[in-house]
Amino acid sequence: MKLDGTIDIAAPAATVWAVIIEPTDLAACVPGVRDVRRIDDRTFEGGVRASVGPIDGDFEFRSVLTRAEFPSDLVVEVEGTDSVTKSRVVAHIEAALVESGPAATTLRYRAVVTTKGRLAIIGEMVLRATAGMMIGQVTRCLRARLEAPTS
Amino acid sequence: MTDPATYDIIVIGGGTAGCVVAARASEDPSRRVLLIEDGPDPRPIPDVVADPKRQSELILESPYVRMYDVERPDGSSFPLLSGRIMGGGSSVNNLAVVRPMARDFETWSAYGGPDWSYDALLPLMRAIEADPDFGDSPLHGADGPLHLHRGYHLDDPADPPVRALIRAAGDLGLPLCHDLNVPAPYGVCASPYNLKDGRRQSTAVAYLEPARQRPNLTIRADTMVTRVLLEDRRAAGVETRSSDGELLQVRAPRVVLAAGVFHSPQVLMLSGIGPEEELASLGIAPRVPLSGVGSGYQDHAVVYVTFQGTTDLRETYVIPKVRLIAKSDPSRDVPDLHVFMRPSIRMEGMPPLLPVSLHLLEQRTTGRVRLASADPSDLPIVEPALLEHPDDVAALLGGFELVRRLTAHPALGAFYGPLLTPAPDTDPADHIRESYITYYHGVGTCRIGPADDDGAVVDPRLRVHGVEGLWVADASVLPTVPHANTNLAAILIGEIAARELSAG
Ligand SMILES: Cc1cc2nc3c(=O)[nH]c(=O)nc-3n(C[C@H](O)[C@H](O)[C@H](O)COP(=O)(O)OP(=O)(O)OC[C@H]3O[C@@H](n4cnc5c(N)ncnc54)[C@H](O)[C@@H]3O)c2cc1C
């Protein structure tokens, strides 16, 4: 599954960058992520709990920042396993920042998510259903943290 | 090694249709019948198979499901599934019992002649079922092997969201449809299921179980047929491989291939029956050139549309009370969509999400099943070619509009909030092309047709063209995907094959 889009944030690119490369800061903005453990300055682990009708599952993942060249080359690899089917989910996420003014930045992202195993039977439907809302919440959270309050 | 025992009929594959063929063929005690199934034959039937409440576990965790990775044109992939257990698809499917529409038989008659018309096959359809609600009527049967159960009738009390769906659909002009197994069903339909006393009625239960004690029926599970033995252009038996790898030749003058839409063409091709060039390229000596083998695949594309929910929806995934049988365009004469409310998706930190699924009941193109290699244990490659015709995408767009109108109706609007997927600022056609999966209703890879039809694999009596003593009897023979789920059609094919075997 592929996802791409942009998020506009009224803050300088360097400020946005500082948050998105800091694992625990970024994780705090993703809804539902819990038990975040910082492994090193590029790696964190965490979990997400989801249910689809009668199926309840936990998804444990590790996220590694594999490239971070300010402002336009950020790559994150996420790999995880679900508790129900023990399937492997791998996400390759690329992001870049474009500064469009002194306090205006566009974050472009592109993600490719692949599921290996039985989770693929329902996983993609769930990911597609939740992705939009998740990105919306990440956007609001980043804005709330980074944008100067307007009076 | 050669099996010292000989048989009159070998049935390859104990799936939906194969169990029917084996049970019916062994009714005549003078025939020695051997049924060979690749998957296990666990008895008693495990609870995870028998109890529909455990359906998610059956599909997501049990060893009884095969998964085929299929690519969409954009390089993304999704899985197709089949059952690998006695009963095949009928042991793992969602239990819906839906007859093909009269229009489907009309189409099939164009390939198979008058014996494939609705009127010609109605007596067999009646003989299959025991319908407690409509049985013993000109359209239905009351004492066939397959028990139907409607846990919900449209005039029963229902949860508020189901009542709201019925109201909203009614206001949009969809009539109530108490019995969806009529020649031309349309509207808000109560869904019948293969259930008796809360237990799944697979064909392993409904057909095979009562036949198991017959001395003339031998059942071999955990055994894969690797090829059909041919002598000149006559079937002479099969070669099998047991789970410990032992190869055995078993002889019979009549062989019925019922390995399903993916594996019946695979077994034919492994036996040298199929498209010459493709076989030769894999090092298989072509014995009977038959270009249609593996081509003609059709299925039902499925797309999910998701809304933010105002509440949790407990409507079950496996046996929803109602389905809409709808038209993507009101001017159509035949309905082309199934629409279901789906249970909510919950994720911490988010409101509930409510998916609605849209199932397109037609495919204007055909895909194919190819061999991955000459090794029988390699799963074949499936190229379903879904949604390659713009009118198929347009039909799903029509369905999407219907769902929008339904969820905007005040009755349903109390449960369904804003549309989330496809995102309102995107083109829904992109969402359809990028995210479709299937209803698991594959047909057509060994389809019926006359000998001079290049795409045909079997004649209208299910005999493989150019080979004596070899039949195909499963969903793969259907020339087009019906406007219905396919299990009942596969049972019907099993009954037709049994009748043909009796005819000699
Ligand atoms: C998850 C799922 C849900 C579905 N839900 C519904 C539903 O609710 N209602 C409905 O009407 N339809 C449903 N279907 C579709 C329906 O179940 C199938 O159309 C039907 O089972 C097809 O029957 P068949 O006899 O053609 O093939 P199958 O039932 O697939 O039988 C083929 C059998 O052959 C065996 N086999 C394969 N290769 C070999 C070999 N080389 N040697 C020996 N044995 C072999 C297989 O293990 C299998 O048991 C669903 C299907 C799936 C997968």
Side-chain angles (χ1 to χ4, degrees):
Chain A
M1 180 181 114
K2 290 177 187 152
L3 290 169
D4 51 38
T6 56
I7 300 174
D8 291 320
I9 303 161
T15 316
V16 177
W17 186 261
V19 169
I20 62 173
I21 63 161
E22 176 47 47
T24 38
D25 277 4
L26 184 62
C29 268
V30 183
V33 173
R34 54 175 175 72
D35 301 337
V36 175
R37 298 174 295 280
R38 189 180 205 282
I39 307 298
D40 58 39
D41 59 357
R42 295 196 156 225
T43 312
F44 74 98
E45 292 176 344
V48 176
R49 165 157 280 261
S51 64
V52 183
I55 318 159
D56 276 318
D58 287 312
F59 180 71
E60 297 296 329
F61 67 89
R62 164 178 279 233
S63 165
V64 184
L65 185 64
T66 54
R67 262 197 343 245
E69 297 288 330
F70 178 76
S72 59
D73 187 11
L74 182 125
V75 178
V76 179
E77 307 284 354
V78 183
E79 200 174 317
T81 313
D82 79 287
S83 61
V84 177
T85 66
K86 314 282 181 278
S87 302
R88 221 172 114 240
V89 180
V90 178
H92 172 89
I93 305 163
E94 293 177 3
L97 300 183
V98 179
E99 203 162 43
S100 46
T105 302
T106 299
L107 187 164
R108 285 185 188 287
Y109 61 88
R110 237 167 56 90
V112 180
V113 187
T114 33
T115 308
K116 291 271 170 253
R118 296 271 184 101
L119 184 66
I121 298 167
I122 57 161
E124 193 184 293
M125 184 275 283
V126 175
L127 271 174
R128 275 185 200 279
T130 50
M133 178 157 283
M134 199 176 270
I135 290 163
Q137 292 202 16
V138 169
T139 305
R140 280 192 293 281
C141 172
L142 287 176
R143 285 183 181 151
R145 291 186 60 159
L146 297 170
E147 294 183 354
T150 46
S151 50
Chain B
M1 243 175 62
T2 305
D3 191 334
T6 56
Y7 299 89
D8 297 302
I9 297 171
I10 294 176
V11 181
I12 305 172
T16 298
C19 286
V20 176
V21 178
R24 290 292 191 209
S26 60
E27 280 172 358
D28 175 348
S30 72
R31 289 185 191 144
R32 284 154 306 163
V33 177
L34 170 64
L35 172 64
I36 304 174
E37 165 57 38
D38 177 36
D41 183 20
R43 297 178 72 226
I45 292 172
D47 202 55
V48 70
V49 174
D51 181 357
K53 290 194 213 74
R54 296 181 66 184
Q55 179 72 5
S56 313
E57 202 182 326
L58 173 63
I59 295 296
L60 294 176
E61 298 173 65
S62 84
Y64 307 128
V65 174
R66 288 188 202 84
M67 220 168 99
Y68 313 74
D69 214 25
V70 175
E71 268 202 13
R72 301 188 190 92
D74 68 358
S76 62
S77 64
F78 65 93
L80 279 173
L81 306 177
S82 73
R84 188 177 168 275
I85 180 175
M86 195 59 81
S90 70
S91 288
V92 303
N93 70 16
N94 288 350
L95 305 98
V97 198
V98 185
R99 276 187 192 174
M101 293 189 192
R103 175 59 69 85
D104 296 312
F105 292 97
E106 206 179 291
T107 308
W108 297 341
S109 304
Y111 295 83
D115 288 350
W116 286 85
S117 70
Y118 182 87
D119 289 342
L121 290 173
L122 183 60
L124 268 188
M125 287 193 281
R126 293 185 65 227
I128 289 169
E129 64 184 22
D131 185 331
D133 298 310
F134 302 102
D136 227 359
S137 68
L139 279 185
H140 288 292
D143 48 16
L146 191 75
H147 193 87
L148 271 70
H149 170 79
R150 287 176 192 80
Y152 174 73
H153 303 86
L154 293 174
D155 30 25
D156 290 346
D159 297 342
V162 174
R163 283 206 311 268
L165 174 68
I166 295 172
R167 235 191 87 201
D171 286 351
L172 292 187
L174 287 162
L176 291 182
C177 162
H178 296 272
D179 174 15
L180 56 66
N181 286 325
V182 292
Y186 175 55
V188 187
C189 307
S191 287
Y193 296 96
N194 290 139
L195 270 174
K196 193 175 181 187
D197 304 326
R199 311 300 274 175
R200 173 191 295 273
Q201 298 297 294
S202 66
T203 54
V205 173
Y207 280 83
L208 194 61
E209 198 55 38
R212 280 184 188 267
Q213 299 314 317
R214 293 176 191 153
N216 61 324
L217 174 64
T218 306
I219 297 171
R220 240 172 245 172
D222 295 307
T223 304
M224 174 188 276
V225 169
T226 53
R227 65 189 168 102
V228 176
L229 302 174
L230 295 177
E231 282 170 5
D232 297 324
R233 287 188 162 220
R234 257 206 85 80
V238 299
E239 179 183 76
T240 66
R241 192 167 71 191
S242 59
S243 45
D244 54 17
E246 192 187 324
L247 288 178
L248 186 69
Q249 296 204 343
V250 194
R251 301 193 66 82
R254 298 204 274 175
V255 174
V256 182
L257 182 51
V261 71
F262 308 121
H263 298 281
S264 282
Q266 181 189 28
V267 172
L268 286 178
M269 289 191 264
L270 291 172
S271 315
I273 305 167
E276 265 182 297
E277 272 179 31
E278 191 181 328
L279 298 186
S281 72
L282 292 168
I284 301 168
R287 304 284 301 271
V288 181
L290 207 51
S291 58
V293 174
S295 66
Y297 184 87
Q298 287 201 328
D299 204 333
H300 293 146
V302 176
V303 170
Y304 281 82
V305 176
T306 312
F307 296 83
Q308 185 172 323
T310 60
T311 177
D312 258 346
L313 204 69
R314 306 211 180 276
E315 183 66 352
T316 81
Y317 183 81
V318 186
I319 40 178
K321 294 188 176 67
V322 296
R323 72 178 63 206
L324 305 185
I325 299 186
K327 296 178 183 176
S328 60
D329 169 350
S331 67
R332 288 181 55 95
D333 55 349
V334 180
D336 57 347
L337 293 169
H338 282 175
V339 182
F340 292 95
M341 296 169 105
R342 294 300 186 184
S344 42
I345 300 172
R346 304 256 9 184
M347 198 170 275
E348 265 170 21
M350 285 192 197
L353 308 182
L354 296 182
V356 174
S357 60
L358 276 169
H359 305 239
L360 179 62
L361 304 179
E362 300 179 343
Q363 182 177 349
R364 289 168 178 80
T365 51
T366 52
R368 60 180 295 117
V369 168
R370 291 191 291 118
L371 289 184
S373 79
D375 181 346
S377 34
D378 282 349
L379 291 180
I381 297 166
V382 190
E383 298 165 343
L386 285 157
L387 302 186
E388 288 188 356
H389 196 291
D391 290 351
D392 284 344
V393 177
L396 280 167
L397 283 171
F400 175 60
E401 273 315 308
L402 171 70
V403 170
R404 267 230 250 251
R405 290 171 60 214
L406 278 168
T407 51
H409 184 283
L412 270 182
F415 305 98
Y416 289 81
L419 173 70
L420 297 175
T421 340
D425 56 347
T426 59
D427 180 354
D430 288 341
H431 170 71
I432 288 168
R433 285 194 204 91
E434 287 163 9
S435 70
Y436 69 85
I437 54 171
T438 93
Y439 212 171
Y440 311 124
H441 290 161
V443 303
T445 52
C446 299
R447 74 159 172 82
I448 298 161
D452 60 359
D453 170 352
D454 274 352
V457 174
V458 296
D459 72 9
R461 299 179 61 190
L462 308 179
R463 298 172 299 197
V464 175
H465 286 299
V467 186
E468 290 276 296
L470 181 59
W471 284 257
V472 180
D474 57 32
S476 71
V477 305
L478 297 174
T480 56
V481 71
H483 293 79
N485 308 55
T486 44
N487 197 54
L488 202 51
I491 295 177
L492 181 65
I493 301 294
E495 292 277 9
I496 293 171
R499 196 179 60 184
E500 291 299 333
L501 289 168
S502 297

